[in-house]
Amino acid sequence: QVQLVESGGGLVQTGDSLRLSCVVSGRALRNSQMAWFRQAPEKEREFVAAVRWTNNNPYYADSVKGRFTMSRDNAKNTVYLQMDSLKPEDTAVYYCALDTPPVSILSNLRFATSYDYWGQGTQVTVSS
């Protein structure tokens, strides 16, 4: 059984940092693709970042580029999202997602429908 478990969310102030973690159990991540999405109240789920296990070159949404960094730890089957210079508009529930092989084409990595498994989410709240 594949499980994704996020952690690291919390309540912070504008300009602060947080690091989210997502641990995957139940399958190896070789040739997979993982992503972070977020969903604010009354808004659609939106893409934040993604990385392919084959090239380790993260892709970012424009809204977080330069502030967020996605990384992975192969040995721990874990991905991270380092979030710096947080803003109130970053407030949302953050989800990690797994796309198993064969992964979607590159142009589709920003779409939630490309992913097969999801975590339960972790709340990030940034106060002004």
Side-chain angles (χ1 to χ4, degrees):
Q1 181 181 1
V2 178
Q3 285 190 317
L4 284 67
V5 179
E6 303 100 334
S7 61
L11 172 62
V12 296
Q13 295 184 334
T14 298
D16 285 350
S17 298
L18 279 175
R19 188 176 83 153
L20 306 183
S21 302
C22 174
V23 180
V24 181
S25 60
R27 70 166 292 133
L29 295 179
R30 189 179 63 176
N31 296 325
S32 296
Q33 175 172 280
M34 289 206 68
W36 289 96
F37 285 77
R38 65 187 183 186
Q39 188 166 18
E42 301 181 356
K43 291 190 176 181
E44 293 187 354
R45 191 167 297 191
E46 66 169 350
F47 171 78
V48 175
V51 67
R52 292 189 161 192
W53 237 250
T54 52
N55 64 22
N56 199 25
N57 181 31
Y59 303 88
Y60 298 98
D62 289 342
S63 58
V64 306
K65 202 172 294 183
R67 301 188 297 122
F68 290 11
T69 304
M70 184 174 184
S71 61
R72 72 187 199 207
D73 185 325
N74 295 347
K76 295 182 178 180
N77 244 30
T78 299
V79 292
Y80 304 96
L81 185 68
Q82 176 66 40
M83 306 186 294
D84 298 320
S85 302
L86 283 162
K87 305 175 182 180
E89 51 263 45
D90 295 318
T91 295
V93 177
Y94 283 71
Y95 299 90
C96 65
L98 170 64
D99 181 13
T100 55
V103 297
S104 61
I105 60 177
L106 204 57
S107 59
N108 287 344
L109 65 78
R110 298 171 181 266
F111 299 112
T113 52
S114 296
Y115 296 86
D116 306 303
Y117 298 96
W118 292 81
Q120 82 289 350
T122 186
Q123 176 72 46
V124 172
T125 303
V126 185
S127 64
S128 57

